[in-house]
Amino acid sequence: MSFDPSTLYLFATMVAGMLGAMLWLFGRQENIPALKWWGTAYLLGAASVALWTVGSSTLDAMVLMGLNAIGFAACGMVWNAARIFHGRKANLPGLVLGPIAWIGAATTVEDHALRLTIGAGIVAICAALTASELWSERRRVLKRRWLAIVIPVAHGCVLMLPILVGDLLRFNGQNYVSSFWVTLFSIELVLYAIGTVFVIFMMVSDRAVAVHKTAASVDPLSGMLNRRGFTEACTRVIEREANAGRPVTVMIFDIDHFKSINDRFGHPAGDEILKLFSAVVVNSLRISDLSGRIGGEEFAALLPCSLDEGVLVAERVREAFENSNIACEEGPVDTTVSIGVAGGPAGTELEVLLASADTALYQAKRGGRNRVEAAEELPLSLENWRRKTAGLPAAARQKPATVRI
């Protein structure tokens, strides 16, 4: 069974063109620049191959060389699309080096087979660079990345295979691989185009899931973890520290007289105070520490350290916030915070630590605010403490039964 090479090429380029248009329109609709790069690359590549196939017998040699150069530029765009999708800048030299190399080869190399070898090598290099870009994206799980890496690698291998084994398939001065190679490459081009689009949408889907997961775990005002995100992250850290036998410390922050700040200066000013305090907390903690906004004006942090170290950090946060020197048109804004700190041995549950730090926090408030109080005891029964404090105002909470650390 034989296939007409021109028909195969036109069919492959038609598929690539339709997929390119779909990618470009979707990228424009969802405002995803990488998809527009991918779509444009497909459209340019499909157009150049289609025009070359139709006009190879009638067009001028210089025009055909230009069409080929456009196709090589499209390969560079695919590589750049992968870079842009992962937040990197476009490599503009990568767009023109391939076309320049091809034009140089086409104008200086007389051997047709060598020119084909150079052209296939350029495409294979672009495919390898694309695979390398996807491999370097360590945020993706390897099991989900393998397909994105295998497809461009396989594309490059198909291009290079006839070059590597071509001499073995020639005898009696005739080349019997040509028709077979055209058929194979045309089929592979269709599969590559469809497979790449599948991988692209798989990556877009993964990115959307990650964005939604992040949105569900992050407080939009402060940019810190919300209660849910903080709890999940702390659970993982506590488990890690427990396996290493290291203690952890939790602190709860409550901005003093925050309601009066809202009443006196307005809610926009209150929001700015919350943003300021979140920045103070983040700048005062190490990169390995966790922090989050767990209530209106209530924040929390978890530090893999001892209680004494945690108290020093809490005092640093308190001093930094007090010295913020914020003033509005109505006058200066008091920026003070009360902090409760609780520590426990390796493996202490987060809720137990939070309950103890919460008790210390209200001791700090009852002691005059703008101070740090360390809990010397942990709740003996968290459930009993919850039942006792359920429905009571914060000021009326009773300290749970405790056990000394």
Side-chain angles (χ1 to χ4, degrees), residues 162-171:
I163 297 172
L164 298 176
V165 303
D167 291 338
L168 300 177
L169 299 176
R170 292 188 181 94
F171 42 86

Side-chain angles (χ1 to χ4, degrees), residues 206-226:
D206 286 352
R207 178 67 56 85
V209 170
V211 168
H212 292 152
K213 185 176 181 179
T214 299
S217 302
V218 174
D219 171 53
L221 178 63
S222 64
M224 304 175 77
L225 293 171
N226 58 21

Side-chain angles (χ1 to χ4, degrees), residues 292-349:
R293 182 185 177 196
I294 60 175
E297 68 275 16
E298 201 168 60
F299 296 76
L302 181 137
L303 290 68
C305 67
S306 65
L307 177 61
D308 292 339
E309 293 177 277
V311 170
L312 293 177
V313 174
E315 188 62 35
R316 186 164 66 238
V317 172
R318 187 197 64 78
E319 290 180 358
F321 189 55
E322 184 182 21
N323 297 328
S324 298
N325 298 323
I326 302 299
C328 297
E329 295 180 359
E330 294 81 357
V333 181
D334 293 331
T335 53
T336 62
V337 61
S338 299
I339 308 174
V341 186
T348 305
E349 293 181 358

Side-chain angles (χ1 to χ4, degrees), residues 68 106 191 209 215 237 260 290 306 318 338 368:
N68 286 329
L191 296 177
V209 170
V237 171
S260 65
L290 294 174
S306 65
R318 187 197 64 78
S338 299

